[in-house]
């Protein structure tokens, strides 16, 4: 595989792009990078899909891919167990060393910057500590202006500076996102103060990577709505891309599903599939093997092309799908021969 990459890099990359499973994995990785709160959902979906596909391969061909999934699953279970224990232990230690209230006495003098998640974005603050008291407080980033009234933030800051310590704020007015805003604001102050506590407990590097990679942030209703929209967009894009990547089948994406070709076709239906519209739709989704099975019913009269509003020719699209199926089987046979031959 590596030698082919060196000999013909463009051809090798083209073959990778033509693998639908790889494309779907890339889509999932892009979403996971852009939306951390979707990672646990994507991880579960990918695991379920791989479990189903590789189990079927194991039953049909005794494929060893299922063993890789078992190994990945064991790693995730062990990693989750370790991470859970580490998080529980660290959180207990953090609670005992909290900078809230009298805990300000643990914070050394200095200026610290902290970040908290507000309703509409991150909230960044700079806190100055002097003689174990909060001396000054500056807001560096704040996107939630309409969530909490300015006077409430000002009153909270005034009370905080008067006491010199971080204490629970008063309940904000019931504006949209007000609770999330004031919580994120307070969290940013706490995040700044803990940086001034020597040897403050932190999660292990493995736990941080594991949480960031597989878990991300807790999913919300917004996450689910976003995933639904992205799924629909990727689905349309994927089926369009599949046809464009396969020579001769790109015109299948123009099918209106009007069934005019079915009325003109002398066959009209074969094995429950409307002809030739059903074969064109199967071509659109990339099910070339099924098209190859049903193509024997097409008589090649061309009446569908004469009646189609956009001039699609069923026989031409079916022929292209037939060739794509043959090419796919040829590559699978070559790959199997190489595997059976083993190293030279």
């Amino acid at each position: 595989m590596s030698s082919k990459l060196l000999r013909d890099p463009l051809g090798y990359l083209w073959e990778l792009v033509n693998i639908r499973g790889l494309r779907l994995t890339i889509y999932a990785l892009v979403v996971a990078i852009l939306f951390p709160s979707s990672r646990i959902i994507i991880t579960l979906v990918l695991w379920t899909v791989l479990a189903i596909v590789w189990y079927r391969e194991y039953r049909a061909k005794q494929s060893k891919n299922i063993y890789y999934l078992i190994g990945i699953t064991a790693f995730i279970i062990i990693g989750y167990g370790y991470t859970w224990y580490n998080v529980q232990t660290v959180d207990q230690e953090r609670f005992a060393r909290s900078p809230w209230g009298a805990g300000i006495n643990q914070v050394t003098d200095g200026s610290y910057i902290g970040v908290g998640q507000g309703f509409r974005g991150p909230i960044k603050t700079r806190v100055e500590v002097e003689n174990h008291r909060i001396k000054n407080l500056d807001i560096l980033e704040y996107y939630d202006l309409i969530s909490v009234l300015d006077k409430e933030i000002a009153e909270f800051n005034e009370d905080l500076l008067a006491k010199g310590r971080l204490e629970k704020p008063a309940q904000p007015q019931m504006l949209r996102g007000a609770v999330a805003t004031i919580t994120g604001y307070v969290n940013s102050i706490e995040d700044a103060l803990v940086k001034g506590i020597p040897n403050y407990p932190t999660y292990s590097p493995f736990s941080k990577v594991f949480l960031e990679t597989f878990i991300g942030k807790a999913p919300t209703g917004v996450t689910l709505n976003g995933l639904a929209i992205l799924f629909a967009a990727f689905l349309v894009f994927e089926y369009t891309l599949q046809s464009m990547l396969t020579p001769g089948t790109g015109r299948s994406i123009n099918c209106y599903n009007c069934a005019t070709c079915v009325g003109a076709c002398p066959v009209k239906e074969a094995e429950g599939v409307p002809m030739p519209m059903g074969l064109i739709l199967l071509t659109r989704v990339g099910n070339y093997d099924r098209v190859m099975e049903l193509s024997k019913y097409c008589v090649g009269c061309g009446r569908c092309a004469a009646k189609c509003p956009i001039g699609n020719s069923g026989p031409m699209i079916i022929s292209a799908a037939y060739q794509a199926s043959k090419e796919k089987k040829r590559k699978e046979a070559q790959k199997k021969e190489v595997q059976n031959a083993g190293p030279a």
Side-chain angles (χ1 to χ4, degrees):
M1 185 177 295
S2 59
S3 59
K4 185 174 183 179
L5 175 61
L6 295 175
R7 293 196 315 268
D8 184 15
L10 293 179
Y12 179 74
L13 293 176
W14 178 255
E15 287 186 4
L16 292 180
V17 171
N18 276 274
I19 300 175
R20 168 168 284 171
L22 179 60
R23 295 201 302 268
L24 294 177
T25 302
I26 293 174
Y27 300 156
L29 290 176
V30 170
V31 175
I33 292 172
L34 297 178
F35 300 97
S37 59
S38 68
R39 290 176 188 175
I40 182 64
I41 299 175
I42 293 176
T43 299
L44 293 175
V45 170
L46 285 177
W47 187 93
T48 303
V49 171
L50 289 175
I52 295 173
V53 172
W54 286 352
Y55 178 72
R56 288 177 178 175
E57 290 183 356
Y58 175 76
R59 293 288 301 272
K61 309 175 184 177
Q62 297 297 309
S63 173
K64 296 182 179 180
N65 288 335
I66 191 67
Y67 296 117
Y68 299 142
L69 184 63
I70 293 174
I72 294 172
T73 304
F75 170 78
I76 292 177
I77 293 175
I78 295 173
Y80 180 83
Y82 169 80
T83 301
W84 179 86
Y85 175 78
N86 180 249
V87 168
Q88 293 293 319
T89 303
V90 171
D91 284 349
Q92 290 178 3
E93 295 176 356
R94 285 181 173 182
F95 181 77
R97 303 190 63 184
S98 171
W100 285 73
I104 190 68
N105 293 323
Q106 305 174 80
V107 182
T108 57
D109 293 350
S111 178
Y112 308 101
I113 295 177
V115 179
Q117 183 61 40
F119 182 66
R120 289 179 172 81
I123 300 175
K124 182 183 292 186
T125 58
R126 179 170 54 228
V127 182
E128 294 182 14
V129 178
E130 184 178 319
N131 297 324
H132 302 295
R133 288 178 59 87
I134 298 177
K135 189 70 174 178
N136 192 27
L137 180 64
D138 296 319
I139 301 176
L140 304 180
E141 288 185 19
Y142 181 66
Y143 299 96
D144 291 9
L145 182 61
I146 62 175
S147 299
V148 175
L149 298 178
D150 280 343
K151 70 180 185 66
E152 294 188 4
I153 292 292
E155 290 173 357
F156 172 71
N157 289 346
E158 184 179 348
D159 183 62
L160 183 145
L161 293 174
K163 296 177 179 178
R165 60 177 61 184
L166 179 61
E167 293 185 352
K168 184 177 180 181
Q171 182 70 20
Q173 292 193 22
M174 297 307 292
L175 301 176
R176 184 169 183 263
V179 175
T181 295
I182 198 67
T183 300
Y185 183 63
V186 171
N187 287 342
S188 70
I189 299 174
E190 180 185 15
D191 182 57
L193 292 176
V194 299
K195 294 175 180 176
I197 300 178
N199 301 319
Y200 187 74
T202 59
Y203 301 135
S204 69
F206 177 85
S207 297
K208 292 179 181 178
V209 173
F210 187 89
L211 288 171
E212 186 67 21
T213 303
F214 295 101
I215 307 300
K217 299 178 182 178
T220 63
V222 176
T223 303
L224 297 177
N225 291 337
L227 286 177
I229 295 172
L230 287 172
F231 175 76
F234 281 148
L235 198 64
V236 174
F237 175 75
E238 171 58 27
Y239 285 145
T240 303
L241 183 64
Q242 176 67 43
S243 299
M244 298 300 292
L245 290 175
T246 305
T249 65
R251 65 181 67 191
S252 66
I253 65 177
N254 298 322
C255 179
Y256 293 158
N257 301 3
C258 64
T260 301
C261 59
V262 179
C265 181
V267 180
K268 290 186 170 36
E269 183 177 326
E271 298 184 17
V273 177
M275 297 283 286
M277 185 182 72
L279 297 188
I280 293 174
L281 297 180
L282 287 170
T283 302
R284 179 188 294 177
V285 300
N287 193 353
Y288 305 131
D289 292 343
R290 182 59 175 159
V291 175
M292 191 174 183
E293 295 172 359
L294 296 174
S295 61
K296 59 186 177 184
Y297 296 105
C298 178
V299 298
C301 63
R303 294 180 182 178
C304 52
K307 293 292 184 180
C308 178
I310 56 175
N312 264 346
S313 171
M316 290 183 64
I317 295 177
I318 293 169
S319 175
Y322 185 89
Q323 294 299 323
S325 178
K326 287 183 62 177
E327 180 66 15
K328 177 183 176 183
K329 292 182 182 297
R330 184 186 67 81
K331 290 182 178 179
E332 290 177 350
Q334 286 182 344
K335 183 178 179 181
K336 191 173 182 179
E337 289 180 1
V338 172
Q339 291 176 345
N340 293 335

